[in-house]
Amino acid sequence: MIRSLLVCLVISTALCFSSFAAEASRTFRAGTSVVDITPTEFPTAIAGGFFLLTSEKVNDPLLVRCLVLDNSTERIALVVVDNCVMPLYLADEAKGLIENKTKIRRDRIMISATHTHSAPPLCELHASPKAESYAAKLPAKIAEAVAAAVKNLAPAKVGWAIGNDKNNIYCRRFLMKEGTAPTNLFSGKKNDRAMMNPGHANPNKITRTGPVDTAVSILSVVSPDDKPIAVFANYSTHYAGVPGGVFSADYFAVFSARIKEKIAEKIGADKVPDSFLGIMTNGTSGDANCIDFLNPNRKYDYKSVGEDTAQAAMDVWKNVQYFDWVPLGMVEKRITIKNRVPTPEEVQAAKDHLAKLPDGKLKTGDDVYAQSTVKMADWSKTSEVPLQAIRIGELGIAALPGEIYGITGLEIKARSPFAPTFNISLANGFFGYIPPEEQHRLGGYTTWRTMSSFLEVDAEETIRNTVVDLLKELR
């Protein structure tokens, strides 16, 4: 009996010392990196339009920005790419390369697109083709960025805060008077009541169709002696736009530059390392942009939007509370969702329409949607949709693979077990616009069936509930 008690005491003491040792050995580390992905072969296709556009001009560099976090038991990679969308095939290929290079598990990697409309297209959308040569080289560049961030891992502290910018985000979809909303012959919809971007002077608009998320959310990383390492931010406006058909990272790049400059102004340039990295991600912007159609037209551009969001981030950055160790977690689930595919009758009508084009060239929206209808006839009837939830201490992040509406993002935040929570759209894949079912009933662009809107009508509810469950699982 005494011998048994002595054995138990020895084991208990050993476990206790082991626990203390593990506690003492916990280290939180962070690493950042940037890799240039500006196109070098010209002319190259440029994304964002209905028709093929090419450009030979570069306004500012396109980049891959990467933040890797490690708490001694878990390692995650957050990657943001200056591009319009992040197709599933490309994200998966990049994750395979990253896993081979760094041993970071694929389901511990988040790769999102900023949604700049001034980058080479990574997949076919509308009548704009994929930039094949450019897309083929991108996965290796993404893997290079993550490998560099891992190499740069160093002790760090982390904190988070929520700012606000109401100046640059408004719902762009409007309920219209009956019979006044534009429709589309090959959209799978009839009697549309909603219209995107109706114009300031349009007398037929009634009201916005939904709310917007005005938060500017930040994850801030500093060294143990409080030198800034990174600010990883999130805002839910669509994009600002850079005129002239040039390659550009849009306001996302302006934010990155200005947040660094603002921090330097606050604490002194000598305390901000050259390696400091600002990152802006796209939130739930599927039905939002910078234009307020209910009030007189205002002046803004990508520079002013970058400035405003950087200031909103700076207003809360100075009061962030930092932790020298926090739990890290990332979980992923791939769910099967039905696609809205055209009927044989719709496909035939689209073929008949295309056959009547005088020179075979696509000139109108109906022409583009007719072509998409014919191409979608061969699509799979289902999609495998990846969803992620991320935990960084008491901060929760939902990663969603499409263009998500503001009301969806706000509900995810309200139901999340983490406070705060923010949402990153266009992450780990691209499954088009994902409107709530009630928005489908209103019709309008973003609900019209095409390559940029094709999941079943109730997909949003399934996605929203699943990602909330993933956040609860992390809890």
Side-chain angles (χ1 to χ4, degrees):
M1 180 68 174
I2 294 174
R3 183 178 179 181
S4 297
L5 288 172
L6 286 171
V7 170
C8 288
L9 181 60
V10 170
I11 292 173
S12 177
T13 303
L15 288 173
C16 186
F17 277 118
S18 175
S19 176
F20 287 147
E23 185 81 12
S25 67
R26 291 194 313 185
T27 302
F28 193 88
R29 296 186 297 160
T32 64
S33 71
V34 175
V35 169
D36 195 314
I37 55 168
T38 310
T40 56
E41 300 173 7
F42 301 108
T44 294
I46 190 166
F50 261 66
F51 304 97
L52 171 63
L53 297 172
T54 62
S55 180
E56 300 180 7
K57 299 178 180 179
V58 175
N59 182 75
D60 55 276
L62 304 179
L63 302 174
V64 176
R65 296 176 176 88
C66 180
L67 171 65
V68 171
L69 301 175
D70 184 300
N71 71 351
S72 300
T73 60
E74 191 70 271
R75 181 176 291 180
I76 64 174
L78 307 175
V79 187
V80 182
V81 182
D82 286 328
N83 204 278
C84 188
V85 301
M86 179 52 54
L88 179 64
Y89 85 89
L90 194 147
D92 281 349
E93 183 180 345
K95 289 179 183 183
L97 295 174
I98 292 166
E99 188 172 49
N100 289 337
K101 276 178 172 280
T102 68
K103 307 307 179 187
I104 300 177
R105 287 169 44 177
R106 296 174 189 230
D107 60 355
R108 300 296 190 269
I109 303 165
M110 189 285 300
I111 305 175
S112 72
T114 57
H115 204 55
T116 174
H117 278 217
S118 306
L122 302 179
C123 61
E124 182 181 12
L125 280 176
H126 301 305
S128 178
K130 172 182 169 184
E132 296 282 356
S133 176
Y134 181 86
K137 299 173 184 175
L138 190 54
K141 292 284 190 179
I142 294 172
E144 178 187 340
V146 178
V150 170
K151 188 176 180 180
N152 293 334
L153 282 168
K157 300 186 294 185
V158 66
W160 44 86
I162 306 297
N164 201 276
D165 178 10
K166 297 181 180 180
N167 296 328
N168 296 291
I169 182 166
Y170 305 91
C171 181
R172 63 179 185 168
R173 270 171 57 89
F174 277 75
L175 179 68
M176 307 296 289
K177 294 177 182 178
E178 281 198 52
T180 64
T183 189
N184 186 297
L185 293 175
F186 306 102
S187 66
K189 301 284 183 181
K190 294 181 179 179
N191 304 317
D192 295 84
R193 289 297 310 276
M195 181 179 181
M196 185 182 77
N197 298 339
H200 287 85
N202 191 327
N204 298 313
K205 61 180 183 288
I206 298 173
T207 187
R208 297 184 177 106
T209 60
V212 294
D213 183 353
T214 62
V216 177
S217 306
I218 67 166
L219 171 71
S220 181
V221 186
V222 299
S223 67
D225 58 352
D226 296 317
K227 289 184 178 179
I229 294 174
V231 170
F232 184 93
N234 180 260
Y235 188 54
S236 291
T237 206
H238 210 73
Y239 66 95
V242 179
V246 295
F247 291 106
S248 170
D250 207 276
Y251 93 90
F252 308 95
V254 177
F255 171 89
S256 297
R258 289 297 291 138
I259 190 64
K260 181 177 183 179
E261 292 166 357
K262 288 178 181 292
I263 291 174
E265 291 166 6
K266 176 70 177 177
I267 66 173
D270 59 318
K271 296 180 180 179
V272 182
D274 291 340
S275 60
F276 170 86
L277 184 59
I279 306 175
M280 174 59 79
T281 59
N282 197 307
T284 47
S285 67
D287 59 340
N289 63 18
C290 300
I291 309 172
D292 180 4
F293 289 106
L294 290 183
N295 289 295
N297 201 5
R298 69 188 183 95
K299 290 184 178 180
Y300 75 90
D301 59 20
Y302 71 103
K303 293 181 181 178
S304 68
V305 176
E307 173 67 26
D308 289 350
T309 51
Q311 186 58 53
M314 189 64 207
D315 288 343
V316 294
W317 179 86
K318 55 193 177 187
N319 297 319
V320 170
Q321 178 186 356
Y322 291 98
F323 303 88
D324 58 13
W325 191 92
V326 295
L328 289 177
M330 184 184 291
V331 290
E332 179 177 311
K333 184 174 183 179
R334 300 200 173 200
I335 59 176
T336 300
I337 296 180
K338 291 181 180 178
N339 294 330
R340 287 179 287 144
V341 294
T343 65
E345 292 76 17
E346 289 173 322
V347 174
Q348 187 57 54
K351 288 180 177 179
D352 293 342
H353 176 91
L354 294 172
K356 294 176 183 176
L357 297 181
D359 52 8
K361 292 183 179 180
L362 308 179
K363 297 179 180 178
T364 69
D366 282 344
D367 298 346
V368 172
Y369 277 79
Q371 177 179 272
S372 295
T373 298
V374 173
K375 290 186 176 183
M376 291 177 71
D378 297 326
W379 276 27
S380 168
K381 288 184 168 51
T382 60
S383 289
E384 184 186 56
V385 180
L387 302 172
Q388 279 181 344
I390 303 163
R391 177 184 186 176
I392 304 169
E394 292 302 305
L395 171 68
I397 302 174
L400 304 154
E403 300 192 59
I404 311 299
Y405 280 38
I407 193 170
T408 302
L410 291 169
E411 183 166 346
I412 290 171
K413 289 185 175 187
R415 293 173 56 193
S416 171
F418 295 99
T421 294
F422 64 81
N423 305 286
I424 299 177
S425 293
L426 303 145
N428 305 306
F430 178 67
F431 294 86
Y433 288 99
I434 306 177
E437 188 169 356
E438 62 270 20
Q439 296 291 332
H440 270 288
R441 290 196 290 269
L442 296 177
Y445 180 77
T446 72
T447 73
W448 293 341
R449 181 198 61 233
T450 188
M451 296 176 181
S452 61
S453 181
F454 56 85
L455 294 183
E456 64 179 341
V457 170
D458 61 354
E460 182 270 348
E461 181 179 9
T462 302
I463 288 170
R464 169 169 37 87
N465 289 335
T466 301
V467 82
V468 169
D469 287 344
L470 291 176
L471 287 163
K472 291 178 179 177
E473 180 183 330
L474 278 178
R475 193 51 150 167

